Amino acid sequence: MSGARLGLIELLDRDGGVAHRLPVMQWPVTIGRALDCDVVLDDPHAAPRHATIEAADGEPLLLCVGESRNGLRLAGRTVHAGERAALGSGAEWQIGRSRLRLRLAGEVLAPELPWTAAAPVHGRRLLAGLVLLLAWVLGEHWLQSDPGDPLSSYLPVLVGTPVMLGVWCFLWALGSKLFTRHFDYLAHLQLALGVLLVSLLLDAALPLAAFALSLEGLARAGELITLALGCGLVWGHLSLILPTRRQALAVGFATMFVVGAGLKLALNQQRSDRWFAPLYLSTLGPPALRLAPTTGPQQFIDEARALRQPLEKRARDPDAPSWLLQADED
């Protein structure tokens, strides 16, 4: 072949990446298993001279199928032996297990896609986060255990949490290897560790803030915050695997969060006649953290007395909805 390059024939791998490129310097181009073909396929389902790409002046390229039992697939249809099909730039076709694509000189290329690089992995921050996570879970276990518990009771906590985190990130790293050819284990670990630490921090801080400020809504919103963090975590992992689909994934997971939150609230309302499951704080913080003004005994008694009438109605008619009891009270 001589002269200017007329195009490229690309042999694609199973993921759609280019495994091999053949410059086209003149037409026709033969494709098959025979060694004298221009594109030699290592495919038992291809004929010796399976197909030929021919060109005529002023006419589009033609993909001609030779003596083949299987033919080829082009644009969703099968082209049988002896048939021809027009071939344009960017067209893909399949011969047996082999996928090929044609690119022509002077083709109009798609615009450059934006690229958002993944957050760099900081080794020291990652190590500090792992140490903080272990200290946190060990501290929680110490607070919940009885005095005199053997040290062996700490072993499942000390080993189980890192192992589960490591397996979770390993599976996502396999996805990165499959789609991006990079085993981004540390990037997935940094993401999961950060979300887990934020979740633990909010789980401890929200009840304390609700107690200190008398804003019980902070404690009741814990379920929705946990759902939001879960959606954000999976979105982050998928964004590392499919960086060009981040916006579409964000829209999808935002929709999932809205739908999931609506279903969760509806189930709470159906089961307990309340939108949010926790009605009271399970534990109270130290009195020194209390910032909201105190409530006098008389106000507490008056508010408790106001509950008597709706509670008596509920006892008489347990199936009555809470909004009806509230309307009768008003």
Side-chain angles (χ1 to χ4, degrees):
M1 293 185 181
S2 60
R5 178 184 295 181
L6 302 177
L8 287 175
I9 295 179
E10 299 174 333
L11 182 62
L12 307 180
D13 59 21
R14 63 179 183 179
D15 299 323
V18 179
H20 182 70
R21 293 181 177 89
L22 174 72
V24 178
M25 312 304 290
Q26 65 181 17
W27 307 107
V29 173
T30 55
I31 305 171
R33 282 190 295 120
L35 294 182
D36 58 351
C37 290
D38 297 311
V39 180
V40 181
L41 300 179
D42 183 17
D43 191 329
H45 304 286
R49 292 173 178 79
H50 200 105
T52 304
I53 303 177
E54 299 178 351
D57 294 338
E59 299 292 335
L61 294 175
L62 293 177
L63 182 60
C64 308
V65 182
E67 295 182 1
S68 166
R69 173 184 300 177
N70 299 315
L72 56 83
R73 296 285 295 177
L74 174 65
R77 68 183 185 91
T78 300
V79 184
H80 300 282
E83 296 181 350
R84 299 183 175 188
L87 203 62
S89 182
E92 296 184 15
W93 66 97
Q94 183 162 347
I95 297 176
R97 297 177 181 175
S98 305
R99 293 173 55 198
L100 299 100
R101 179 170 61 201
L102 174 67
R103 296 185 58 188
L104 297 176
E107 67 178 357
V108 179
L109 299 178
E112 179 185 5
L113 296 176
W115 170 259
T116 303
V121 177
H122 300 280
R124 293 184 179 179
R125 295 181 184 178
L126 190 60
L127 180 60
L130 290 172
V131 172
L132 180 60
L133 175 63
L134 290 178
W136 191 292
V137 296
L138 290 175
E140 281 190 339
H141 182 75
W142 177 75
L143 290 174
Q144 297 172 3
S145 61
D146 297 327
D149 280 356
L151 293 178
S152 59
S153 65
Y154 288 84
L155 186 60
V157 179
L158 185 63
V159 176
T161 302
V163 168
M164 288 188 294
L165 181 63
V167 171
W168 171 267
C169 298
F170 176 79
L171 294 176
W172 284 107
L174 286 180
S176 294
K177 181 65 174 178
L178 179 63
F179 288 95
T180 67
R181 298 179 178 82
H182 296 286
F183 192 74
D184 296 326
Y185 180 79
L186 292 181
H188 287 284
L189 178 60
Q190 179 174 263
L191 171 65
L193 182 60
V195 173
L196 181 57
L197 290 175
V198 170
S199 176
L200 292 173
L201 178 62
L202 291 177
D203 187 52
L206 288 178
L208 287 177
F211 165 75
L213 303 174
S214 287
L215 297 176
E216 64 275 7
L218 294 178
R220 296 179 182 178
E223 292 180 342
L224 297 183
I225 293 177
T226 300
L227 179 61
L229 289 175
C231 291
L233 175 61
V234 179
W235 170 81
H237 284 304
L238 288 176
S239 296
L240 291 174
I241 296 176
L242 303 171
T244 60
R245 299 290 187 268
R246 288 182 177 178
Q247 293 184 353
L249 290 171
V251 173
F253 277 96
T255 304
M256 290 176 57
F257 169 74
V258 172
V259 173
L263 291 176
K264 179 62 178 175
L265 295 177
L267 288 175
N268 289 340
Q269 179 68 19
Q270 183 180 12
R271 292 172 180 175
S272 59
D273 205 18
R274 298 190 305 270
W275 291 110
F276 297 95
L279 187 58
Y280 305 103
L281 291 174
S282 59
T283 58
L284 298 179
L289 297 179
R290 182 73 176 173
L291 301 178
T294 58
T295 300
Q298 188 59 42
Q299 181 180 351
F300 175 78
I301 294 173
D302 294 340
E303 292 178 353
R305 185 180 292 116
L307 296 175
R308 179 176 180 177
Q309 184 178 0
L311 289 176
E312 290 178 348
K313 292 183 178 181
R314 173 60 62 84
R316 292 192 299 268
D317 187 7
D319 296 330
S322 59
W323 62 268
L324 181 57
L325 299 178
Q326 184 68 30
D328 292 342
E329 180 185 357
D330 294 339

